[in-house]
Amino acid sequence: MTTRPPVSAPDPVTTTGAASAGSGLQAGLKNRHLSMIAIGGVIGAGLFVGSGSGIAAAGPGILVSYALVGILVVLVMRMLGEMAAANPTSGSFSAYADRALGRWAGFTIGWLYWFFWVVVLAVEATAGAKILAGWIPAVPQWGWALIVMVVLTASNLASVSSYGEFEFWFAGIKVVAIAAFIVVGGLAIFGLLPGSDHPASGFSNLTAHGGFLPHGPGAILTGVLMVVFSFMGSEIVTLAAGESADPQGAVTKATNSVIWRIAVFYLGSILIVVSLLRWDDPAILKDGSYVAALSSIGIPHASQIMNAIVLTSVLSCLNSGLYTASRMAFSLARRSDAPASFGRTTQRGVPQAAILASVVFGFVAVAFNYLWPDTVFQFLLNSSGAIALFVWLVICFSQLRMRRIIERETPEKLVVRMWLYPYLTWATIALITFVLGYMLTDTADGGGRDQVVLSTLVALGVVVFALVRERVGRNATHEVTPS
């Protein structure tokens, strides 16, 4: 009987050109791919679609909500960047949890993260299908969902560079769109946009209609719950870095630039929205915050322009979700925590079985969304809803121990350092725990309480399975070991 590899063994990643079939991943991602993956990972479809509800709930104070969550993401990414720069691997935080906290932790968070992205595949495929069916109704909505899933599966199966190229252009469109929105909106705010009759209101809308916090300071926390999940995906670059020629440099660059990315794309664009419009404008909820803002300054066909941008974001999320789920499954297999076939690659360095398994479950989830949207699929959504915060908590606890391991074994690899260690790490843990606790006060159907309770139950189930599996494996090893 063979024993498992030691917990310190990273999953093999080939970073020096083509590898033979089954030997590992390849360095197929270029620096421009990694740069756009880092930027695009921060800009999710939730920014365009979900910000309207946050503005309606918190008023201009939603800026504080975005700032608080932005700070949280910056701190978590700094911790993850410290570990990833020292040991880039396709398993990222799951592999670090494996070593820092134990096999059960790496197994649990790896499979939970895989589950999260499989559900996201279904959500985004349905969202993209709705937009496409609106443009070309001759193809049914389920047909469009099938088409986008098949196309992006094919691109992921082709090579990692195909994924990188798709994501480069998807992210590029998002970046250009938000940059243009900020520039055009900024000119309109001060009455400098040619051809627009929007009054030069400056920043008066931030305080003119019931104050900066029209619903009181507590609304900031409500806003936090509404926006926190739109930031999920910033950690993808640390998984992708393992398939680049210079993983350490890519992680360092992405970690150092996360502050300005969040400041510009989130805070900058939301500031434009709440400055152009009064926070209680009915159009914000009816049309969406960005469409309402563009319409207010006289941009023709604003809704169709925004639909195209949202579709790009959806496809980007689908593309990255499939990539991320497959690489996590690959890493789990390399650590003997998933079927061995998931850890084998083709001659192009693609974990084909891991990709196909992930997309099959994605297709099943899409079917649930059409067949039982209010029962089975709603359960899937709720049971994966808080996993993002669980991942961030695991990153924090892993960094507390990995920092000491790196300092002891390979201090020269500590090129990215968490600020004020360990105090800021513990402060981040406290903040995430507080958000999870506050979610329990959201008793609406499918709200925060449902998400925390069901996600916790699923997580506990995986933990118990992992611990039992580990104990059984240990006992079996003792039985075959000669005394």
Side-chain angles (χ1 to χ4, degrees), residues 477-483:
T477 301
H478 290 326
E479 289 176 6
V480 300
T481 300
S483 58

Side-chain angles (χ1 to χ4, degrees), residues 74 109 150 161 342 350-351 381 411 414 429 483:
V74 167
I109 206 62
V150 168
S161 61
F342 290 1
V350 173
L381 285 177
L414 205 57
I429 290 171
S483 58

